Amino acid sequence: MLIDQIIGQEEAVETIKKAAKQRRNVLLIGEPGIGKSMIAKAMAELLPPEDLQDILVYPNVEDTNNPLVGVMPAGQGKKVIENAKKQNKGQEERRNILMITIIAFIMAIGFLTNQFLSAIIAVGIVFFALYQLRPKGQQSTPKLLINSDGKEVAPFVDATGAHAGALLGDVRHDPYQSGGLGTPAHERVESGMIHRANKGVLYIDEIGTMTMKTQQELLTAMQEHKYQITGQSDNSSGAMVRTNPVPCDFVLVASGNMEVLKDMHIALRSRIRGYGYEVFMKDSMKDTPENRKKLGQFVAQEVKNDGRIPHFTKEAVAEVIKEAQRRAGKKDALTLKLRDLGGLVRAAGDVAVEENAKEVTVEHVHEARKQSRTLEQQIADRYISQRKEYSVFSNEGSKIGCINGLAVIGNSSGIVLPIAAEAAPSQSKEEGKIIAAGKLGDIAKEAVQNVGAIIKKSIGTDISNYDIHIQFVQSYDGVEGDSASVSMATAIISAIENIPIDQTLALTGSLSVRGTVLPIGGATYKIEAAAESGMKKVLIPASNMDDVLIDKKYVDQIEIIPVKTLTDVLEHALVGPQKDEFIKSLKENKIDKIKNYIPN
Ligand code: ADP
């Protein structure tokens, strides 16, 4: 059973079991690659296959544009079609026998009376009459729209990204329709995914990307449990056709991340909430022996499902688990972004296969990790080397107002984010201006304003007496900026006080309004990026220390210094003859106050 293969999502699994029993809808919210579609598929396996139905569309003699719909237990539909065909065939045979008999009779009379010409004309008339009276071809055979014959599990239909026609059904266009020569309407009817999911699961990821109109129709289908099929494009002859209601009694499993909720039809959301469950899925689990064992099970599963790669040694499994720790990015946790981790498993397997190895070893996993760097990681690599070449940041000496911040792009790549600040006494009598350049301008402005309060409190300087220019040197899309507030504050203080900053140092941290340094995400990747860029020291929030799982090769390259307050940061980051005096006054004046705010 698929449900037994789902790892780390116990709550979601319990919910899905409950929902399957009661045939409830489910909304799964969470990051990509944590098993949402897997859970939806597992739900289909839990639904009773006995309920499956066949659906047929029949021609409607009274109104050809309104085909009729028949529903019957699975397996019956096929028989109905066979019977109809047999009947058609039987009719044809009877017609042929009748014709031959009549012809023979006329010929016999003609022969007996020597009226050959009249006999031939009579045969012609009979032929013509029979041709005119022929039953209209296959028209009486219904179309088997949904065939559930022999199915042992309820259907699972993935309608992610489906357009209206595919989702709701369609009637094909027929250019000959108006001439009466065309394909009969009922044969042009195509089922939609909602109909194919009848008695099973309809799964839609990123549900918010569907148009409101389509979501509205989906809601109607859910409420009625049936939905008429009509041509979806206005100018097509299919749009004239509308079937009787076709059953679509599915369970909806919708999914997406938090963002998706914004674009989700409100009534649809409330339908799910009212007649189902909402689950917020996890992206990591606790690092316990039991959960490590589950990851071991995961590796075995992925090997089995792939079918082409050898099994992992115990040590290689341990290495994958270690990677799961790193990727979780916080202490005592293992990542549940298992799609990506599965990618690593397969890549390691491929390396082993290439080497004709019988087992996947630790070395294979290492090699795979190198080879299967994500796009973001590759971009980060390139930035690091480019920036080194053009010396966008320096990793030696000291400078006023310049600091090496750190940021994360994507989920798992760090980069050095140089920040430069300049401060000049304000020209105007009123407020000083904050001028922020670079792509992170807005975030920077906001951060500078927050930083202002802290600077006032800790060094007594009112930054509104200054025009402050702050720039993220060469930043680019995808960098988040809130973890740069400690760096910004340091750069501004350096600029105001004219005290240089150690350029062999990089740092990260978010600043609270009280001057304490708050934890940030991606500590490991940021430290690795700093080391990779030639930095000697890195400051990180003390509360992040347990999250640090850097690669062995970086351990001797860089000193990691935990910091708790802005004063700690300044003590490490500032250099030069004025520094000691400044820190001393800082401590004497304010440090006690700041200390009181340090969370434990
Ligand atoms: P999502 O729908 O959340 O993006 P999927 O369900 O498509 O993720 O997961 C993709 C693949 O990753 C699965 O087929 C499976 O191999 C692996 N996977 C993801 N999450 C899990 C999980 N919780 N347990 C086991 N395997 C998982």
Side-chain angles (χ1 to χ4, degrees):
M1 292 285 275
L2 197 53
I3 193 118
D4 303 320
Q5 296 190 12
I6 298 164
I7 288 167
Q9 306 288 357
E10 290 78 15
E11 203 183 322
V13 165
E14 282 316 304
T15 305
I16 221 82
K17 283 183 181 162
K18 217 166 21 173
K21 247 187 229 144
Q22 317 278 353
R23 301 188 57 79
R24 301 286 191 215
N25 304 308
V26 182
L27 179 61
L28 301 172
I29 296 297
E31 304 274 313
I34 55 175
K36 297 187 292 294
S37 80
M38 200 174 169
I39 286 177
K41 215 180 274 173
M43 185 178 187
E45 287 186 358
L46 299 176
L47 293 171
E50 307 81 86
D51 294 349
L52 298 190
Q53 295 172 324
D54 285 346
I55 301 173
L56 286 97
V57 212
Y58 295 86
N60 183 348
V61 260
E62 276 160 29
D63 178 0
T64 48
N65 281 334
N66 178 214
L68 307 171
V69 172
V71 185
M72 54 205 66
Q76 301 274 319
K78 207 173 69 180
K79 289 181 197 151
V80 171
I81 302 278
E82 274 165 13
N83 281 344
K85 278 194 180 143
K86 232 185 260 165
Q87 221 169 28
N88 265 347
K89 217 169 154 199
Q91 261 177 15
E92 208 167 302
E93 274 165 12
R94 279 196 297 278
R95 206 158 45 103
N96 289 344
I97 291 170
L98 182 69
M99 202 158 73
I100 290 165
T101 319
I102 293 173
I103 291 168
F105 184 69
I106 294 172
M107 293 303 273
I109 291 178
F111 192 69
L112 290 175
T113 57
N114 273 349
Q115 300 275 341
F116 291 120
L117 196 61
S118 315
I120 286 169
I121 290 169
V123 167
I125 291 170
V126 169
F127 258 119
F128 183 73
L130 282 173
Y131 177 77
Q132 286 300 318
L133 291 174
R134 81 193 190 285
K136 293 275 185 285
Q138 295 291 52
Q139 209 168 14
S140 55
T141 317
K143 173 173 176 168
L144 186 51
L145 195 65
I146 302 289
N147 186 1
S148 304
D149 187 30
K151 295 227 172 99
E152 278 162 16
V153 270
F156 166 80
V157 179
D158 185 347
T160 303
H163 57 87
L167 184 70
L168 305 168
D170 209 344
V171 180
R172 269 182 292 127
H173 177 62
D174 181 7
Y176 302 116
Q177 182 62 13
S178 48
L181 303 161
T183 318
H186 80 281
E187 281 183 18
R188 290 186 282 124
V189 173
E190 306 283 346
S191 62
M193 286 169 163
I194 57 170
H195 306 111
R196 263 171 274 148
N198 187 37
K199 302 294 173 192
V201 172
L202 184 75
Y203 174 66
I204 305 179
D205 192 18
E206 300 295 336
I207 185 147
T209 59
M210 274 185 174
T211 63
M212 275 300 153
K213 185 162 175 280
T214 308
Q215 290 190 47
Q216 175 70 55
E217 295 303 313
L218 184 67
L219 177 63
T220 309
M222 280 168 71
Q223 282 164 339
E224 313 274 322
H225 302 302
K226 44 194 194 274
Y227 190 87
Q228 294 178 299
I229 300 177
T230 183
Q232 295 286 342
S233 43
D234 291 340
N235 295 324
S236 130
S237 62
M240 299 190 317
V241 178
R242 179 178 285 271
T243 66
N244 271 7
V246 181
C248 60
D249 185 13
F250 56 84
V251 172
L252 178 71
V253 180
S255 68
N257 52 23
M258 268 325 243
E259 288 290 291
V260 142
L261 293 181
K262 278 203 316 252
D263 300 317
M264 194 169 164
H265 195 296
I266 292 174
L268 186 62
R269 167 103 193 268
S270 92
R271 174 89 194 167
I272 297 181
R273 211 174 325 150
Y275 296 85
Y277 302 96
E278 295 184 330
V279 188
F280 187 64
M281 294 189 35
K282 295 193 295 182
D283 59 7
S284 67
M285 58 182 173
K286 257 192 112 145
D287 186 356
T288 63
E290 194 188 341
N291 284 340
R292 285 173 181 222
K293 219 167 124 196
K294 284 185 192 162
L295 280 183
Q297 177 200 333
F298 170 72
V299 173
Q301 263 166 222
E302 293 290 302
V303 168
K304 184 149 174 271
N305 289 342
D306 185 83
R308 280 167 301 192
I309 55 177
H311 274 284
F312 279 52
T313 64
K314 229 181 181 165
E315 294 74 28
V317 171
E319 200 57 30
V320 174
I321 293 173
K322 202 155 137 209
E323 183 63 19
Q325 282 176 321
R326 272 168 58 90
R327 291 187 183 188
K330 55 186 176 198
K331 73 176 158 187
D332 296 334
L334 299 167
T335 187
L336 279 173
K337 291 182 182 159
L338 295 184
R339 190 208 317 250
D340 290 350
L341 203 64
L344 179 69
V345 169
R346 277 182 293 280
D350 289 348
V351 175
V353 168
E354 225 162 76
E355 292 180 5
N356 282 323
K358 287 216 169 58
E359 283 180 315
V360 180
T361 65
V362 176
E363 285 69 41
H364 297 143
V365 178
H366 282 169
E367 186 57 32
R369 236 182 62 191
K370 248 187 258 156
Q371 286 178 10
S372 62
R373 290 177 79 70
T374 63
L375 225 48
E376 282 87 357
Q377 285 166 332
Q378 292 175 36
I379 293 170
D381 288 349
R382 191 134 346 141
Y383 266 94
I384 286 173
S385 66
Q386 264 178 15
R387 286 172 172 216
K388 261 191 204 156
E389 256 167 58
Y390 298 110
S391 53
V392 174
F393 54 78
S394 51
N395 52 18
E396 52 191 22
S398 62
K399 260 190 211 164
I400 291 173
C402 290
I403 196 155
N404 294 315
L406 292 167
V408 182
I409 58 171
N411 279 327
S412 52
S413 308
I415 48 154
V416 173
L417 182 69
I419 298 171
E422 262 175 58
S426 170
Q427 301 290 326
S428 67
K429 277 266 159 9
E430 300 122 39
E431 285 228 324
K433 279 183 288 193
I434 298 166
I435 300 137
K439 278 198 180 132
L440 287 173
D442 290 339
I443 301 173
K445 267 188 201 162
E446 208 183 298
V448 171
Q449 267 146 6
N450 291 342
V451 165
I454 297 158
I455 292 176
K456 178 98 193 281
K457 195 150 64 178
S458 41
I459 65 174
T461 304
D462 189 347
I463 63 164
S464 64
N465 294 331
Y466 289 85
D467 284 340
I468 292 177
H469 292 248
I470 187 148
Q471 190 189 11
F472 288 88
V473 186
Q474 277 208 353
S475 64
Y476 47 92
D477 289 328
V479 176
E480 35 86 23
D482 65 324
S483 67
S485 48
V486 167
S487 315
M488 273 189 283
T490 310
I492 294 169
I493 291 171
S494 161
I496 292 176
E497 298 291 325
N498 264 313
I499 304 176
I501 294 169
D502 180 358
Q503 300 296 303
T504 68
L505 166 142
L507 76 174
T508 178
S510 177
L511 203 54
S512 81
V513 284
R514 292 167 172 168
T516 56
V517 178
L518 301 176
I520 43 77
T524 298
Y525 302 113
K526 287 175 175 171
I527 296 170
E528 288 181 353
E532 197 62 51
S533 308
M535 305 290 159
K536 297 282 173 290
K537 283 183 250 172
V538 61
L539 307 184
I540 68 157
S543 42
N544 277 122
M545 274 310 267
D546 290 328
D547 308 341
V548 176
L549 271 170
I550 62 170
D551 236 28
K552 256 194 235 128
K553 66 173 174 181
Y554 298 119
V555 172
D556 295 331
Q557 284 183 26
I558 195 157
E559 185 190 354
I560 304 169
I561 304 167
V563 286
K564 286 186 174 170
T565 63
L566 185 60
T567 311
D568 290 349
V569 173
L570 295 171
E571 211 169 347
H572 286 105
L574 300 180
V575 287
Q578 298 170 42
K579 170 200 167 177
D580 290 341
E581 183 72 13
F582 175 69
I583 298 287
K584 202 171 140 223
S585 69
L586 194 64
K587 282 186 173 171
E588 277 168 5
N589 291 338
K590 309 289 169 190
I591 190 73
D592 288 340
K593 255 192 219 161
I594 294 174
K595 248 190 184 157
N596 288 339
Y597 291 118
I598 299 172
N600 30 13

